[in-house]
Amino acid sequence: MTVTVRAAAKINLHLGVGRVREDGFHPLDTVYQAIGIHDDLTLAPADDLTLTTRVADHIDPAGVPDGPDNIVLRAARLLAAHAGRPANGAFEVRKDIPVAGGMAGGSADAAAALVACDRLWDLRTSDDDLLRLAAELGSDIPFSLVGGTARGVGRGELVTPVDDPGAWWWVAVPATEGLSTPAVYRHFDELRPDAPEVPASAEPLLAALATGEPLRLARALHNDLQEPAIDLRPELGDLIALGEAEGALRGMVSGSGPTVVFLCDSAEGARETAAGLAGSGRDVVLTATGPVAGAHVVVGA
Ligand code: C5P
């Protein structure tokens, strides 16, 4: 008896960041979209709590955090404590989502762990409780549960699904070396000491999204973490220019980076952009559509 849960990578179509709060987090107004790059997590019954990780060819296994602090094991322990039961089971995670890439790979795994434990342990935890536990574990983990396209406020953990009529085509180019999310936020503070308390509104992005037109969406994409990410990694700016020259409507840093994503006008446009980037010596170029589902059971107990 095992459970397999699939969880998707996220990108931020709009990431408005306000001035840092007293608790060290930044107020956000963001629009998340889950796109078709996935991690699969399998949970089997076991006496102990264990985790093994297998990675896709494009991921350096050395970059994957292991040990008891891994977010998957923390998720399992948190749900077990909530339910008043022991935390046990053997997790195996198969990673396709770039690590430390600004695509919420760790958050996807944590959301998958919550769903898998809930199913294997037959807890039937309410959605409200699962979302609350997810928010305790990390700001974008509630979105990894919800999936699709959703607006996030607070520190990103308060998520409301939004209508998204599009089937959007993306090309994602991960970097060999990840970027630390806290480091990018700290650099935002240095570059923008005058950042407004209220983050830039997601409303214009939502209006563009509602048209279903790739060009309108391309023009509305916005990421306040792009400037600090490019300042830390200037080559990301060159990569964005390259993808746009290869036919993408618009490139931008994904979340805190360093993955760069390109919005394309069609499947054909995405294939051409991906081929152009691969031809320019980029080792790993992924193509994906969005929106896709949040963490969900694909093989049930
Ligand atoms: O919530 P999460 O653990 O994913 O956040 C990781 C780090 O990213 C935080 O410790 C903080 O430095 C930064 N962060 C932030 N503001 C947010 C979300 C994350 O400053 N809204």
Side-chain angles (χ1 to χ4, degrees):
M1 184 176 70
T2 64
V3 182
T4 300
V5 177
R6 173 162 293 178
K10 68 87 185 148
I11 58 179
N12 301 77
L13 308 181
H14 174 93
L15 181 49
V17 180
R19 194 180 314 150
V20 65
R21 308 190 311 203
E22 298 261 300
D23 64 2
F25 286 93
H26 292 72
L28 303 185
D29 192 353
T30 189
V31 178
Y32 297 106
Q33 186 174 90
I35 67 167
I37 301 171
H38 296 104
D39 285 358
D40 282 338
L41 173 146
T42 296
L43 176 62
D47 293 334
D48 303 333
L49 185 63
T50 60
L51 170 66
T52 56
T53 305
R54 292 187 302 131
V55 296
D57 288 345
H58 65 83
I59 295 175
D60 176 6
V64 181
D66 55 9
D69 285 342
N70 183 286
I71 190 89
V72 167
L73 300 179
R74 287 202 282 128
R77 289 195 298 263
L78 187 67
L79 182 59
H82 172 75
R85 57 154 286 143
N88 54 21
F91 286 102
E92 186 179 298
V93 178
R94 206 246 172 232
K95 293 196 71 65
D96 240 3
I97 305 175
V99 173
M103 299 190 94
S107 298
D109 299 347
L114 290 175
V115 172
C117 290
D118 184 64
R119 176 64 73 99
L120 189 75
W121 299 341
D122 196 23
L123 301 178
R124 296 162 206 236
T125 312
S126 71
D127 289 348
D128 278 355
D129 280 358
L130 272 188
L131 287 167
R132 198 173 41 74
L133 296 171
E136 254 181 70
L137 288 163
S139 303
D140 47 21
I141 300 177
F143 173 71
S144 296
L145 285 173
V146 170
T149 304
R151 187 174 191 170
V153 296
R155 60 182 166 87
E157 88 283 23
L158 304 172
V159 173
T160 313
V162 298
D163 282 341
D164 183 352
W168 310 101
W169 281 91
W170 299 97
V171 171
V173 184
T176 322
E177 202 186 327
L179 259 180
S180 144
T181 301
V184 176
Y185 273 106
R186 270 198 305 276
H187 199 45
F188 170 87
D189 296 338
E190 285 160 9
L191 294 177
R192 301 274 308 277
D194 56 345
E197 264 172 52
V198 177
S201 170
E203 293 293 345
L205 184 287
L206 293 172
L209 190 73
T211 68
E213 290 175 28
L215 201 55
R216 292 280 300 276
L217 183 63
R219 290 199 189 112
L221 296 173
H222 175 94
N223 179 3
D224 279 334
L225 293 183
Q226 175 157 309
E227 192 190 351
I230 291 180
D231 206 49
L232 293 169
R233 288 279 176 87
E235 66 268 27
L236 298 181
D238 303 334
L239 174 55
I240 289 171
L242 182 63
E244 290 177 349
E246 294 293 349
L249 297 177
R250 177 112 186 254
M252 70 168 174
V253 170
S254 173
S256 58
T259 303
V260 170
V261 290
F262 296 94
L263 178 62
C264 299
D265 60 0
S266 61
E268 188 54 30
R271 269 192 293 275
E272 279 171 18
T273 300
L277 285 163
S280 308
R282 301 290 152 177
D283 288 347
V284 184
V285 181
L286 308 168
T287 304
T289 60
V292 301
H296 60 285
V297 173
V298 287
V299 180

